Amino acid sequence: MIASVLLLAVLILSTDHASYAQAPEKARVAQELVARLDQALLRVDGLVKANLILIKRSGDSWNWEVSVFRKGEDSLSLFESKGRGLEYKLLFKEDGELIYAFNALSRKIFRKTDEEKYESHLNTGFSYVDIANSSYQANYNPIVQSDLEISGKKMKRVAMRPIVPYFYSKLILLLDAESLKPIRLDFHDKDGVLYKTLNIKYGPVKVKSKHKSVQEEMANRLEMLDLQTGSISVLEYTEVDKDVKPDPSLFELDNLNRL
């Protein structure tokens, strides 16, 4: 009888120890998968050229040429259209912790705080915090990592919750099970309702470094589907110039309203 009780105790302790060991392992794997999302998104020092396209449900479309200057934790994004020229400047400090928007048409500067960071920029599906390209690993905690199959394709799924919740209540990241490339990110609002989806596409981008140009495969096309408006917003990267060394004055708030 005593031997049976001892055996049962050993089995319980072994099971508990195995569960305890598996939990940190799953958390570590989930963290690594979220880190791959940060690695996939373009965050390099220098100058990045891109196009931002908004396609409304009606079929009407708008296009902006985007120039992103980045140095360390600071970046400055310029949005220009053929009809109006420079429309907006977005200044991101401390990896997106501080966000300032300069409306070139009204010549006014706005600081975006708390929920204002999640407002739509230029009526697209991208919020200010989305364009800030802040680290997901630093701002979200992975809570569930699992495997699933969609249309016969194996995926890895990671659910993430914001460390400091303002508007996004949960994000769902999907990665290709073989390559571990992030391919989709679902955004849920503060009520837990899915309201937009980001599809991540990969392709060649011209990269200039040390005065040489090559084509590199990277996440070059971000397609945001806004489920509330039915619009599609596309941010497509066309060129990266690592040889550009932005002057520190570019990232000074006092210079943001200079045209």
Side-chain angles (χ1 to χ4, degrees):
M1 179 66 178
I2 294 175
S4 299
V5 171
L6 288 174
L7 178 59
L8 179 60
V10 169
L11 289 174
I12 291 174
L13 287 172
S14 299
T15 303
D16 288 345
H17 178 75
S19 300
Y20 178 79
Q22 288 175 3
E25 175 65 17
K26 288 184 178 181
R28 183 183 65 80
V29 171
Q31 281 283 2
E32 290 176 355
L33 294 177
V34 176
R36 286 185 173 272
L37 176 61
D38 282 336
Q39 292 166 6
L41 298 177
L42 196 53
R43 300 176 76 249
V44 298
D45 283 5
L47 170 63
V48 176
K49 293 283 190 178
N51 290 312
L52 176 61
I53 305 166
L54 169 62
I55 305 171
K56 291 287 189 72
R57 179 180 288 175
S58 62
D60 295 331
S61 64
W62 287 263
N63 184 80
W64 294 269
E65 292 182 359
V66 185
S67 300
V68 182
F69 297 90
R70 188 178 184 92
K71 187 174 184 179
E73 295 183 346
D74 298 339
S75 67
L76 177 69
S77 298
L78 281 61
F79 296 81
E80 302 177 77
S81 63
K82 289 184 178 179
R84 296 184 173 183
L86 178 64
E87 289 192 39
Y88 258 92
K89 289 183 181 181
L90 298 182
L91 175 62
F92 304 106
K93 306 282 288 182
E94 301 177 15
D95 272 339
E97 286 297 316
L98 301 176
I99 300 178
Y100 300 93
F102 171 62
N103 185 327
L105 303 180
S106 66
R107 298 186 64 86
K108 292 182 178 180
I109 296 176
F110 304 90
R111 180 180 173 185
K112 300 297 180 178
T113 61
D114 301 337
E115 287 197 8
E116 293 174 342
K117 294 181 179 181
Y118 298 85
E119 294 173 349
S120 169
H121 175 54
L122 292 171
N123 294 316
T124 68
F126 292 98
S127 69
Y128 292 99
V129 75
D130 296 336
I131 298 175
N133 214 357
S134 303
S135 168
Y136 284 97
Q137 191 177 14
N139 291 285
Y140 291 85
N141 284 323
I143 53 174
V144 179
Q145 185 270 314
S146 58
D147 297 332
L148 72 160
E149 190 169 310
I150 300 178
S151 301
K153 193 170 184 178
K154 293 182 179 179
M155 304 279 186
K156 289 191 176 295
R157 176 186 183 275
V158 181
M160 302 183 289
R161 291 206 184 279
I163 294 173
V164 181
Y166 282 118
F167 187 78
Y168 297 156
S169 63
K170 180 175 66 174
L171 302 184
I172 302 294
L173 171 65
L174 295 182
L175 306 94
D176 181 86
E178 293 184 4
S179 66
L180 295 182
K181 284 184 176 180
I183 57 174
R184 198 176 89 193
L185 191 61
D186 293 336
F187 297 80
H188 296 74
D189 64 18
K190 55 187 172 184
D191 296 321
V193 177
L194 173 65
Y195 80 105
K196 64 181 185 180
T197 292
L198 177 67
N199 290 299
I200 304 171
K201 306 293 182 67
Y202 295 82
V205 175
K206 180 182 177 182
V207 178
K208 184 178 179 181
S209 180
K210 297 180 181 179
H211 306 292
K212 294 182 179 180
S213 295
V214 296
Q215 296 285 329
E216 291 187 14
E217 186 83 6
M218 61 181 64
N220 68 337
R221 187 178 174 92
L222 307 179
E223 301 176 353
M224 187 76 83
L225 171 61
D226 189 326
L227 300 176
Q228 293 181 324
T229 64
S231 68
I232 299 175
S233 304
V234 180
L235 184 60
E236 186 171 22
Y237 297 108
T238 56
E239 186 177 344
V240 177
D241 192 340
K242 296 181 180 180
D243 289 336
V244 172
K245 307 298 181 185
D247 190 278
S249 62
L250 273 178
F251 311 111
E252 293 179 4
L253 181 58
D254 291 341
N255 294 330
L256 187 58
N257 60 356
R258 293 185 179 181
L259 298 176

